Amino acid sequence: MRDIQNEKDTREIPLQKVGVKGVRYPVCVLDKNKKKQDTTATVNLFVNLPHKFKGTHMSRFIEVFHKHHKDITMLHFLDMLEEIRLKLEAEQSFGSITFPYYIEKNAPVSNAQGIMEYTCSFEGEVSGKERKFFITISVPVTTLCPCSKAISKYGAHNQRGTVTVKLLYSKFFWIEDIIDMIEKCASSPLYSVLKREDEKSVTEHAYENPRFVEDVVREVYLGLKNMNFEWFSVEAENAESIHLHNAYAYTEYTK
């Protein structure tokens, strides 16, 4: 059959990325407590396209990803991208997967069990000379305003926020350890199940640990630096409860 994608293109315009985007696929990732966790990822896979080719073979992206979808781990993600690069005869390959990651978490006093959801993503780039791999983890938290606590006679405003870290991979780590460190940098962690005694504990804990978004970013920065990552970014965003805007802070680190 005629292979139009491999036919020559006369416009002489190279394309940096071509491929498939928004693919929903079941995947299996590592879990610190249960060894493996099944979840569903949104997948983007690309290669570069030299100017002489008319198109790429979209089905080959899915074929390779299907081969690896039961073992999409930090250690194997770049190997999967290298296989895509070679199969499509490209100079570079790119890929990202975003997935919900679930952790069983007990309430702080009653120990009532519940499941927390965190959003994670893997992002990689592979060429014949270089490999880059990033992991992004978003963690919902509670923050209580230090200024509100200082100036108010009764209580202080608090709100739900999200802390997102992006980490350059250099050595293996557990997602759970990053999440635990981030939650300790906020005014309080979030829980899916809280009894009355838990609600009292969480409320009082947040009140005793007021944090601006700037405080959270700086505390997480120190935590990641102590973990010896070569590069990372940290951002925090609060959906402010008494303002019609969000509060935001961001920073990066290079070793």
PDB file of all heavy atoms in Angstrom, residues 119-133:
ATOM      1  N   THR A 119      -2.215  14.904  41.732  1.00  0.00           N
ATOM      2  CA  THR A 119      -1.965  14.912  40.291  1.00  0.00           C
ATOM      3  C   THR A 119      -0.456  14.878  40.031  1.00  0.00           C
ATOM      4  O   THR A 119       0.285  15.707  40.556  1.00  0.00           O
ATOM      5  CB  THR A 119      -2.571  16.156  39.633  1.00  0.00           C
ATOM      6  OG1 THR A 119      -3.978  16.175  39.867  1.00  0.00           O
ATOM      7  CG2 THR A 119      -2.316  16.147  38.131  1.00  0.00           C
ATOM      8  N   CYS A 120      -0.034  13.913  39.231  1.00  0.00           N
ATOM      9  CA  CYS A 120       1.384  13.753  38.912  1.00  0.00           C
ATOM     10  C   CYS A 120       1.575  13.694  37.403  1.00  0.00           C
ATOM     11  O   CYS A 120       0.659  13.336  36.662  1.00  0.00           O
ATOM     12  CB  CYS A 120       1.934  12.467  39.533  1.00  0.00           C
ATOM     13  SG  CYS A 120       1.775  12.375  41.335  1.00  0.00           S
ATOM     14  N   SER A 121       2.773  14.035  36.966  1.00  0.00           N
ATOM     15  CA  SER A 121       3.082  13.880  35.549  1.00  0.00           C
ATOM     16  C   SER A 121       4.552  13.554  35.358  1.00  0.00           C
ATOM     17  O   SER A 121       5.402  13.972  36.145  1.00  0.00           O
ATOM     18  CB  SER A 121       2.707  15.136  34.759  1.00  0.00           C
ATOM     19  OG  SER A 121       3.514  16.239  35.136  1.00  0.00           O
ATOM     20  N   PHE A 122       4.830  12.774  34.312  1.00  0.00           N
ATOM     21  CA  PHE A 122       6.177  12.493  33.848  1.00  0.00           C
ATOM     22  C   PHE A 122       6.353  13.205  32.510  1.00  0.00           C
ATOM     23  O   PHE A 122       5.465  13.184  31.666  1.00  0.00           O
ATOM     24  CB  PHE A 122       6.402  11.002  33.636  1.00  0.00           C
ATOM     25  CG  PHE A 122       6.312  10.152  34.875  1.00  0.00           C
ATOM     26  CD1 PHE A 122       6.174   8.772  34.777  1.00  0.00           C
ATOM     27  CD2 PHE A 122       6.363  10.712  36.139  1.00  0.00           C
ATOM     28  CE1 PHE A 122       6.099   7.972  35.903  1.00  0.00           C
ATOM     29  CE2 PHE A 122       6.286   9.934  37.277  1.00  0.00           C
ATOM     30  CZ  PHE A 122       6.156   8.558  37.165  1.00  0.00           C
ATOM     31  N   GLU A 123       7.507  13.812  32.313  1.00  0.00           N
ATOM     32  CA  GLU A 123       7.782  14.520  31.066  1.00  0.00           C
ATOM     33  C   GLU A 123       9.225  14.259  30.654  1.00  0.00           C
ATOM     34  O   GLU A 123      10.142  14.457  31.453  1.00  0.00           O
ATOM     35  CB  GLU A 123       7.554  16.022  31.261  1.00  0.00           C
ATOM     36  CG  GLU A 123       7.803  16.861  30.033  1.00  0.00           C
ATOM     37  CD  GLU A 123       7.587  18.346  30.302  1.00  0.00           C
ATOM     38  OE1 GLU A 123       7.109  18.685  31.410  1.00  0.00           O
ATOM     39  OE2 GLU A 123       7.911  19.153  29.424  1.00  0.00           O
ATOM     40  N   GLY A 124       9.410  13.789  29.424  1.00  0.00           N
ATOM     41  CA  GLY A 124      10.753  13.424  28.997  1.00  0.00           C
ATOM     42  C   GLY A 124      11.083  13.874  27.594  1.00  0.00           C
ATOM     43  O   GLY A 124      10.191  14.143  26.781  1.00  0.00           O
ATOM     44  N   GLU A 125      12.382  13.937  27.318  1.00  0.00           N
ATOM     45  CA  GLU A 125      12.903  14.286  25.998  1.00  0.00           C
ATOM     46  C   GLU A 125      14.162  13.462  25.753  1.00  0.00           C
ATOM     47  O   GLU A 125      15.044  13.412  26.615  1.00  0.00           O
ATOM     48  CB  GLU A 125      13.223  15.780  25.940  1.00  0.00           C
ATOM     49  CG  GLU A 125      13.830  16.252  24.643  1.00  0.00           C
ATOM     50  CD  GLU A 125      14.140  17.737  24.653  1.00  0.00           C
ATOM     51  OE1 GLU A 125      13.517  18.477  25.445  1.00  0.00           O
ATOM     52  OE2 GLU A 125      15.025  18.152  23.880  1.00  0.00           O
ATOM     53  N   VAL A 126      14.225  12.815  24.602  1.00  0.00           N
ATOM     54  CA  VAL A 126      15.331  11.924  24.298  1.00  0.00           C
ATOM     55  C   VAL A 126      15.881  12.236  22.916  1.00  0.00           C
ATOM     56  O   VAL A 126      15.127  12.423  21.952  1.00  0.00           O
ATOM     57  CB  VAL A 126      14.871  10.442  24.341  1.00  0.00           C
ATOM     58  CG1 VAL A 126      15.969   9.521  23.828  1.00  0.00           C
ATOM     59  CG2 VAL A 126      14.498  10.050  25.762  1.00  0.00           C
ATOM     60  N   SER A 127      17.196  12.302  22.817  1.00  0.00           N
ATOM     61  CA  SER A 127      17.877  12.402  21.528  1.00  0.00           C
ATOM     62  C   SER A 127      19.059  11.442  21.554  1.00  0.00           C
ATOM     63  O   SER A 127      19.287  10.742  22.550  1.00  0.00           O
ATOM     64  CB  SER A 127      18.353  13.837  21.266  1.00  0.00           C
ATOM     65  OG  SER A 127      19.415  14.169  22.152  1.00  0.00           O
ATOM     66  N   GLY A 128      19.822  11.422  20.463  1.00  0.00           N
ATOM     67  CA  GLY A 128      20.986  10.554  20.437  1.00  0.00           C
ATOM     68  C   GLY A 128      22.075  10.988  21.386  1.00  0.00           C
ATOM     69  O   GLY A 128      22.959  10.213  21.743  1.00  0.00           O
ATOM     70  N   LYS A 129      22.027  12.251  21.849  1.00  0.00           N
ATOM     71  CA  LYS A 129      23.071  12.802  22.699  1.00  0.00           C
ATOM     72  C   LYS A 129      22.630  13.079  24.134  1.00  0.00           C
ATOM     73  O   LYS A 129      23.463  13.183  25.030  1.00  0.00           O
ATOM     74  CB  LYS A 129      23.596  14.100  22.087  1.00  0.00           C
ATOM     75  CG  LYS A 129      24.229  13.939  20.712  1.00  0.00           C
ATOM     76  CD  LYS A 129      24.691  15.276  20.173  1.00  0.00           C
ATOM     77  CE  LYS A 129      25.333  15.137  18.793  1.00  0.00           C
ATOM     78  NZ  LYS A 129      25.761  16.455  18.254  1.00  0.00           N
ATOM     79  N   GLU A 130      21.335  13.235  24.360  1.00  0.00           N
ATOM     80  CA  GLU A 130      20.900  13.726  25.665  1.00  0.00           C
ATOM     81  C   GLU A 130      19.555  13.138  26.061  1.00  0.00           C
ATOM     82  O   GLU A 130      18.712  12.843  25.211  1.00  0.00           O
ATOM     83  CB  GLU A 130      20.797  15.264  25.617  1.00  0.00           C
ATOM     84  CG  GLU A 130      20.542  15.922  26.955  1.00  0.00           C
ATOM     85  CD  GLU A 130      20.527  17.435  26.845  1.00  0.00           C
ATOM     86  OE1 GLU A 130      20.180  17.960  25.758  1.00  0.00           O
ATOM     87  OE2 GLU A 130      20.847  18.098  27.842  1.00  0.00           O
ATOM     88  N   ARG A 131      19.378  12.984  27.366  1.00  0.00           N
ATOM     89  CA  ARG A 131      18.106  12.551  27.937  1.00  0.00           C
ATOM     90  C   ARG A 131      17.732  13.500  29.073  1.00  0.00           C
ATOM     91  O   ARG A 131      18.572  13.805  29.921  1.00  0.00           O
ATOM     92  CB  ARG A 131      18.195  11.128  28.485  1.00  0.00           C
ATOM     93  CG  ARG A 131      18.297  10.039  27.439  1.00  0.00           C
ATOM     94  CD  ARG A 131      18.288   8.675  28.106  1.00  0.00           C
ATOM     95  NE  ARG A 131      18.084   7.602  27.159  1.00  0.00           N
ATOM     96  CZ  ARG A 131      17.613   6.401  27.493  1.00  0.00           C
ATOM     97  NH1 ARG A 131      17.326   6.128  28.756  1.00  0.00           N
ATOM     98  NH2 ARG A 131      17.446   5.469  26.572  1.00  0.00           N
ATOM     99  N   LYS A 132      16.486  13.942  29.083  1.00  0.00           N
ATOM    100  CA  LYS A 132      15.976  14.773  30.176  1.00  0.00           C
ATOM    101  C   LYS A 132      14.649  14.200  30.646  1.00  0.00           C
ATOM    102  O   LYS A 132      13.815  13.798  29.840  1.00  0.00           O
ATOM    103  CB  LYS A 132      15.775  16.224  29.717  1.00  0.00           C
ATOM    104  CG  LYS A 132      17.044  16.982  29.429  1.00  0.00           C
ATOM    105  CD  LYS A 132      16.725  18.426  29.042  1.00  0.00           C
ATOM    106  CE  LYS A 132      17.998  19.206  28.748  1.00  0.00           C
ATOM    107  NZ  LYS A 132      17.699  20.615  28.357  1.00  0.00           N
ATOM    108  N   PHE A 133      14.481  14.196  31.971  1.00  0.00           N
ATOM    109  CA  PHE A 133      13.249  13.640  32.540  1.00  0.00           C
ATOM    110  C   PHE A 133      12.829  14.469  33.745  1.00  0.00           C
ATOM    111  O   PHE A 133      13.628  14.726  34.643  1.00  0.00           O
ATOM    112  CB  PHE A 133      13.483  12.179  32.944  1.00  0.00           C
ATOM    113  CG  PHE A 133      12.267  11.489  33.481  1.00  0.00           C
ATOM    114  CD1 PHE A 133      11.019  11.668  32.910  1.00  0.00           C
ATOM    115  CD2 PHE A 133      12.368  10.652  34.578  1.00  0.00           C
ATOM    116  CE1 PHE A 133       9.894  11.026  33.400  1.00  0.00           C
ATOM    117  CE2 PHE A 133      11.264   9.999  35.086  1.00  0.00           C
ATOM    118  CZ  PHE A 133      10.020  10.179  34.488  1.00  0.00           C
TER     119      PHE A 133
END
